[in-house]
Amino acid sequence: MQQLMQALEQEQNLLNRAVLAAFLYTGIRMDEFLTLKRSDYVNTNIQNTLRVVSPRGIERFIPLNDKFTLTLDEYLMTRMDSGEDLFSTELHKAFTRYHIRKIFDVFNVNSRQLRQTFVSELIRLNISIPEISNLVYGGNESIVKNLDSLYNDII
């Protein structure tokens, strides 16, 4: 985890950094990432959130930490297009799984590892299992049983 955080901070390509941070700091799935729109990012003085809709249509709001908010704001300020997608390629095209995998290859990670890292961090911060289930899995109760064993391993 520490190595990944250092690599993320040292990454010069702002797009790569923003994409990796999105997965690392929100625990989103690839399909969810591909559907993110600018309107899904709510940046207020009180709480920054990301509205995420699962492939099954389950909506959840993920609170964003300051590191990700700063990275995302910096990335959005450099965008030269006014497209509705939250992330777009350097050629202003919609992201595909191929584009994401190319970025993951730079860091030698995959979306599952990043999602697990996010969940582990929530557990380390003593976030309750039901709250983690709602944030990451849209309240899927069957996942809670799997989280219990991970929770015990980390704590």
Side-chain angles (χ1 to χ4, degrees):
M1 168 79 167
Q2 256 341 82
Q3 289 176 320
L4 182 58
M5 301 289 266
Q6 287 174 343
L8 181 62
E9 289 175 12
Q10 294 171 355
E11 176 61 35
Q12 297 298 311
N13 184 307
L14 193 52
L15 174 61
N16 287 0
R17 194 168 7 137
V19 169
L20 187 68
F23 283 90
L24 182 63
Y25 293 124
T26 66
I28 61 175
R29 298 173 182 93
M30 199 174 295
D31 289 340
E32 295 167 338
F33 176 89
L34 293 171
T35 62
L36 289 174
K37 304 294 180 208
R38 285 185 192 226
S39 60
D40 294 328
Y41 175 48
V42 179
N43 188 347
T44 68
N45 291 337
I46 299 168
Q47 176 72 55
N48 302 316
T49 59
L50 191 63
R51 178 184 163 270
V52 176
V53 180
S54 76
R56 296 182 318 203
I58 298 170
E59 179 182 76
R60 63 189 193 279
F61 291 87
I62 301 173
L64 304 177
N65 69 23
D66 291 340
K67 284 184 182 181
F68 178 54
T69 300
L70 289 172
T71 301
L72 184 57
D73 287 344
E74 188 178 355
Y75 162 71
L76 290 173
M77 284 192 298
T78 66
R79 290 260 308 259
M80 303 304 256
D81 68 289
S82 58
E84 66 178 24
D85 291 325
L86 186 58
F87 293 92
S88 67
T89 68
E90 291 165 342
L91 298 174
H92 311 298
K93 304 286 184 192
F95 255 83
T96 66
R97 288 176 179 274
Y98 171 80
H99 295 109
I100 296 169
R101 284 190 187 111
K102 292 294 278 183
I103 292 171
F104 286 173
D105 287 348
V106 170
F107 294 94
N108 195 30
V109 295
N110 62 53
S111 60
R112 183 168 290 180
Q113 290 170 317
L114 295 172
R115 191 169 169 81
Q116 189 68 40
T117 300
F118 177 69
V119 170
S120 296
E121 183 63 15
L122 293 176
I123 291 170
R124 193 186 67 72
L125 293 171
N126 285 328
I127 306 298
S128 72
I129 298 284
E131 192 172 349
I132 293 171
S133 176
N134 285 329
L135 276 175
V136 181
Y137 304 101
N140 186 335
E141 292 298 323
S142 66
I143 300 295
V144 174
K145 293 180 180 83
N146 294 337
L147 286 178
D148 268 334
S149 64
L150 180 62
Y151 193 86
N152 291 331
D153 289 346
I154 291 175
I155 298 297

